């Protein structure tokens, strides 16, 4: 539950503390790249860990904007965001780094 998670982060951090979140958003990919990415995630889980995806897998995936808005509502100020994309494959999920400070 993203709301409860951010509320707990806010509770345990001191005022002025820095929070850095690495957000993976498969929805940032388009069409076939998104499908290839999700197949790869499920395949790696089945072969590497011998488990199927947990119930509700991917249910709470958020875009960078949604996460920034949620951080603001939880009492954080977003300082910066940076998206890093691995160009070795078009189906690699971009990683969004979000830096926020507890108010």
């Amino acid at each position: 539950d993203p709301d409860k998670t951010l509320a707990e982060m806010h509770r345990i951090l001191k005022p002025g503390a820095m929070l850095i979140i690495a957000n993976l958003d498969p929805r940032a990919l388009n069409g076939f790249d998104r499908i290839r990415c999700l197949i790869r995630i499920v395949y790696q889980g089945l072969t590497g860990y011998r488990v199927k995806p947990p119930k509700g897998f991917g249910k709470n995936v958020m875009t960078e904007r949604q996460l920034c808005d949620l951080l603001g509502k939880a009492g954080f100020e977003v300082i910066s965001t940076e998206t890093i994309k691995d160009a070795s494959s078009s189906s690699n999920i971009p990683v969004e780094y979000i830096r926020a400070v507890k108010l």
Side-chain angles (χ1 to χ4, degrees), residues 17-65:
M18 178 76 59
L19 174 67
I20 300 174
I21 296 177
N23 185 44
L24 300 173
D25 181 11
R27 293 181 296 183
L29 300 172
N30 296 316
F32 189 64
D33 287 337
R34 185 183 307 169
I35 294 168
R36 284 178 45 209
C37 170
L38 295 175
I39 289 170
R40 192 172 63 234
I41 290 169
V42 171
Y43 175 78
Q44 293 296 329
L46 290 173
T47 61
Y49 304 104
R50 304 204 190 303
V51 295
K52 65 180 182 177
K55 195 171 193 171
F57 174 71
K59 178 183 168 193
N60 289 324
V61 173
M62 289 185 271
T63 65
E64 180 181 322
R65 176 67 6 231

Side-chain angles (χ1 to χ4, degrees), residues 36-95:
R36 284 178 45 209
C37 170
L38 295 175
I39 289 170
R40 192 172 63 234
I41 290 169
V42 171
Y43 175 78
Q44 293 296 329
L46 290 173
T47 61
Y49 304 104
R50 304 204 190 303
V51 295
K52 65 180 182 177
K55 195 171 193 171
F57 174 71
K59 178 183 168 193
N60 289 324
V61 173
M62 289 185 271
T63 65
E64 180 181 322
R65 176 67 6 231
Q66 290 170 323
L67 184 53
C68 287
D69 291 343
L70 199 57
L71 283 164
K73 290 176 188 172
F76 292 94
E77 178 184 354
V78 175
I79 301 300
S80 67
T81 62
E82 179 182 4
T83 302
I84 299 174
K85 177 136 174 73
D86 179 3
S88 65
S89 174
S90 60
S91 64
N92 286 342
I93 302 172
V95 180

